[in-house]
């Protein structure tokens, strides 16, 4: 399995782990586990500001994790669609998809993941995001459709495991969540392969479940929901092999591959957006 890591690790973080590891390997692994929960925040680009200003914004409390989420809403009626962004993204990042859905009569919702955008906290993990989706589903749903980018795609698939139901689903540039993702993180952060088991154990103790239990493929195997998978052949963050492998485990899935759009430009490409709309309303 190729790398699943979605972002490069800043040099100063790698250096801090190496220094700590020199004094205590155990503390270095604990520190690495903490770093794994911290997304890098980026300034909202100008292209997202129109969606930010034109959407209705509200905060929702998620008691299961005691965090506040910023919700963005377009429209007041029509089929409901929920958009879930990826690691270090924002709820406004999928603005082209949001507007296209809204222009075609849909009631659109998106949100900032915990520790992202205007939502609260400095840390989060995939199990927390799944709980956020379930809380939004119970408060603002049910939703006809759900679309997830990158890690967001993993999270929307996992919401199925806990009882949420959708007419159709879309994943864009989504990885698997398995040991390889953590092995890649260990390598990039400068720790040794033998530290992997300790990192996995910390994750399991924190969330009460193994890494493998959240794998997208495991969710695909139990899903009967029509699902569209989109991925770019030259995605440098999440290898296209992830979706090529995932599609084999869907009972009702379709894979569309693109070129030249990378990991994030794919969200703004008109052909991609039109493909998503066509799939949803077909």
């Amino acid at each position: 399995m190729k790398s699943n890591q979605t972002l490069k690790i800043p040099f100063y973080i790698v250096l801090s782990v190496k220094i700590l590891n020199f004094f205590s390997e155990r503390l270095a692994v604990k520190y690495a586990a903490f770093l794994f929960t911290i997304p890098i925040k980026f300034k909202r680009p100008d292209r997202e500001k129109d969606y930010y200003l034109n959407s209705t914004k509200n905060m929702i409390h998620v008691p299961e994790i005691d965090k506040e989420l910023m919700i963005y809403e377009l429209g007041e009626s029509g089929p409901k669609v929920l958009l879930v962004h990826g690691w270090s993204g924002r709820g406004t990042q999928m603005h082209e998809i949001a507007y296209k859905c809204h222009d075609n009569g849909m009631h659109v919702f998106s949100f900032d993941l915990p520790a992202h955008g205007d939502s609260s906290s400095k840390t989060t993990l995939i199990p927390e995001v799944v709980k956020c989706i379930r809380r939004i589903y119970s408060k603002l749903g049910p939703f006809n459709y759900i679309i997830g980018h990158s890690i967001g795609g993993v999270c929307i698939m996992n919401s199925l495991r806990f009882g949420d139901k959708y007419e159709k689903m879309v994943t864009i540039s989504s990885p698997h969540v398995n040991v390889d993702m953590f092995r890649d993180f260990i390598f990039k952060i400068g720790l040794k392969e033998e530290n992997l088991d300790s990192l996995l154990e910390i994750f399991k103790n924190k969330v009460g479940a193994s890494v493998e239990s959240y794998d997208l493929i495991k969710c695909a195997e139990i899903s009967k929901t029509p699902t569209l998978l989109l991925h770019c052949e030259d995605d440098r963050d999440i290898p296209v092999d992830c979706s090529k492998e995932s599609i084999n485990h869907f009972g009702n899935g379709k894979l569309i591959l693109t070129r030249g759009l990378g990991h994030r430009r794919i969200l703004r490409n008109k052909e991609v957006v039109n493909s998503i709309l066509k799939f949803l309303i077909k």
Side-chain angles (χ1 to χ4, degrees), residues 251-266:
N252 192 355
K254 177 183 179 182
L255 174 62
I256 295 179
L257 301 178
T258 67
R259 292 197 64 82
L261 299 177
H263 188 63
R264 296 170 186 83
R265 290 196 311 278
I266 192 172

Side-chain angles (χ1 to χ4, degrees), residues 154-195:
V154 175
C155 295
I156 68 171
M157 290 302 302
N158 270 276
S159 73
L160 292 176
R161 289 200 298 131
F162 298 99
D164 293 348
K165 298 182 184 300
Y166 310 95
E167 293 175 21
K168 294 182 179 180
M169 308 178 74
V170 179
T171 71
I172 308 169
S173 312
S174 291
H176 305 147
V177 177
N178 53 30
V179 174
D180 291 298
M181 174 179 282
F182 284 76
R183 180 179 289 110
D184 184 84
F185 180 73
I186 282 282
F187 171 76
K188 289 188 175 180
I189 210 165
L191 294 177
K192 299 176 182 178
E193 174 83 15
E194 50 261 39
N195 297 132

Side-chain angles (χ1 to χ4, degrees), residues 114-177:
H116 293 74
D118 293 339
S119 291
S120 69
S121 185
K122 294 182 179 180
T123 65
T124 194
L125 280 169
I126 287 173
E128 283 195 350
V129 178
V130 176
K131 290 177 181 178
C132 291
I133 293 172
R134 302 210 63 219
R135 172 57 56 173
I136 294 171
Y137 188 98
S138 66
K139 293 275 289 184
L140 302 174
F143 292 93
N144 302 83
Y145 316 121
I146 190 165
I147 304 171
H149 175 239
S150 194
I151 289 296
V154 175
C155 295
I156 68 171
M157 290 302 302
N158 270 276
S159 73
L160 292 176
R161 289 200 298 131
F162 298 99
D164 293 348
K165 298 182 184 300
Y166 310 95
E167 293 175 21
K168 294 182 179 180
M169 308 178 74
V170 179
T171 71
I172 308 169
S173 312
S174 291
H176 305 147
V177 177

Side-chain angles (χ1 to χ4, degrees), residues 43-54:
K43 182 180 178 182
R44 193 186 315 277
D46 288 342
R47 61 177 172 268
E48 297 178 21
K49 290 182 178 177
D50 183 71
Y51 179 71
Y52 182 83
L53 294 173
N54 289 330

